[in-house]
Amino acid sequence: MSGPEKSYARRAEALLVRALVRLLRLLPVTAASRLGGAVAGGVGPLLPVSRKVGEANLRLAMPELSAPERARIIRQVWVNLGQSIAELVRLRDMREVAAGSNEPGYVLEGWAEHVAPRLLPGQPALFFTGHLGNWEIMPVIAEKHRVNFGFMYRAASNRAVDDILRRLRDDGYDHPVRMFPKGAPGARAAYAHLRAGGALGLLVDQKLDTGIAVPFFGKTAMTMDALASFALKLRCPVFPIHVIRVGPARLRVICEAPIPLPDGGDRQADGLVLTQAMNHILEGWIRRHPGDWLWLHRRWPKGTG
């Protein structure tokens, strides 16, 4: 695609996203989520990425699945993605609700038992999750519990679309939440935030060209090493948190006990142990709810088999 054509396509994409945002803002959050899921679930499975990436990933990671099972999971992936995007537009409506409630929002489990007792004022903490359920809910939870929270994110390739997403996130929080773009400058800023006693959230399930090569579903995958590096330098708690999709605008958020930090005296070996433990936890979440995970990115190098 030539320069002018690429510029036109980016402008058209941004216009489409703005129109979608305006439409979704007219709807209650449950209706918006249902609409987003229906559209994405109807169109997404027909796109080439579903076959070339999503199904390929499923065959690699979970070869025991039949073709109909893979198709069902891929459709669930798209439904969840459409619902999550719609919920981002109405993020202020996604608030904590009681267990068993049919109201839109999230049920929070494990925070009082596992997180609150280990969050010390002025001390750093790390949270990790993957692209499961609606991962955008983590800053909302941190804000509700008055945690000085920031998160690392991967900017959209379309700068105009990225600006729209940043504004949606800003509008969804009562107070500003620090957002650190992936890359060396963002990592330095995130580390400074931790050193100052902040908490940092990380999405740890995307393919990287650098990092640590560790198993994921039994296949070697380059995995983010920032979490292990930060945790071992600061000796701070590392909390696993994941989100389960219950329905349109309805989520369960599960907080687990912090991962024990290895202390073998070799920082590189300890980092490998911690990163392997992180991937093992993430794999368990995905196996239990495969339709909640974003199988649509290339997690493993081409040719892995």
Side-chain angles (χ1 to χ4, degrees):
M1 184 181 292
S2 66
E5 290 173 334
K6 189 173 183 180
S7 177
Y8 176 80
R10 288 179 181 275
R11 289 198 299 271
E13 181 183 32
L15 287 171
L16 179 61
V17 171
R18 290 191 186 98
L20 178 62
V21 168
R22 286 196 292 269
L23 171 62
L24 293 172
R25 278 180 168 159
L26 297 174
L27 301 174
V29 64
T30 300
S33 178
R34 188 174 288 113
L35 175 62
V39 172
V43 175
L46 304 177
L47 299 178
V49 68
S50 293
R51 174 177 52 83
K52 294 181 179 180
V53 180
E55 289 220 16
N57 282 340
L58 276 166
R59 285 195 298 269
L60 181 68
M62 304 177 72
E64 69 278 7
L65 296 176
S66 65
E69 288 171 329
R70 289 195 301 271
R72 176 180 55 81
I73 290 170
I74 291 297
R75 185 179 184 281
Q76 288 174 344
V77 168
W78 280 105
V79 169
N80 178 65
L81 180 58
Q83 290 173 338
S84 297
I85 292 170
E87 289 157 11
L88 177 60
V89 176
R90 302 301 306 266
L91 199 56
R92 283 186 176 273
D93 296 327
M94 295 294 292
R95 294 304 185 221
E96 185 173 356
V97 297
S101 172
N102 289 322
E103 294 297 313
Y106 63 89
V107 175
L108 183 61
E109 302 176 13
W111 183 277
E113 297 88 342
H114 300 309
V115 179
R118 297 169 177 84
L119 279 181
L120 303 178
Q123 297 298 312
L126 286 159
F127 296 81
F128 78 85
T129 190
H131 289 81
L132 285 143
N134 188 341
W135 52 92
E136 297 281 358
I137 206 70
M138 274 185 63
V140 174
I141 295 168
E143 182 180 64
K144 177 183 182 297
H145 290 273
R146 302 183 184 278
V147 177
N148 178 19
F149 191 76
F151 63 91
M152 297 191 73
Y153 77 103
R154 176 172 291 177
S157 58
N158 185 328
R159 182 173 295 181
V161 171
D162 191 60
D163 288 342
I164 294 169
L165 295 176
R166 286 181 63 90
R167 286 197 296 272
L168 286 174
R169 292 181 177 116
D170 285 339
D171 291 345
Y173 313 137
D174 292 330
H175 304 95
V177 172
R178 299 285 302 277
M179 290 184 275
F180 307 105
K182 288 190 176 180
R188 288 192 293 269
Y191 184 63
H193 172 73
L194 285 167
R195 287 286 302 271
L200 182 69
L202 296 164
L203 287 160
V204 298
D205 57 345
Q206 289 186 321
K207 177 182 178 295
L208 300 176
D209 295 324
T210 60
I212 304 177
V214 294
F216 187 53
F217 283 88
K219 312 294 182 182
T220 300
M222 297 303 293
T223 303
M224 173 190 290
D225 58 354
L227 180 134
S229 176
F230 292 162
L232 295 175
K233 285 178 181 176
L234 299 172
R235 305 303 299 182
C236 63
V238 177
F239 298 103
I241 294 185
H242 70 290
V243 183
I244 299 171
R245 169 73 59 186
V246 178
R250 294 178 60 210
L251 309 166
R252 282 179 63 207
V253 183
I254 314 296
C255 306
E256 301 180 7
I259 303 177
L261 297 184
D263 193 12
D266 182 328
R267 182 70 63 80
Q268 185 173 3
D270 288 346
L272 182 63
V273 170
L274 184 54
T275 305
Q276 287 175 329
M278 179 188 77
N279 266 10
H280 179 72
I281 291 170
L282 181 65
E283 181 180 330
W285 295 339
I286 295 167
R287 285 190 180 278
R288 288 192 290 274
H289 299 278
D292 281 357
W293 191 51
L294 193 63
W295 291 91
L296 304 174
H297 62 262
R298 295 189 182 278
R299 185 64 186 89
W300 294 270
K302 288 185 178 180
T304 301

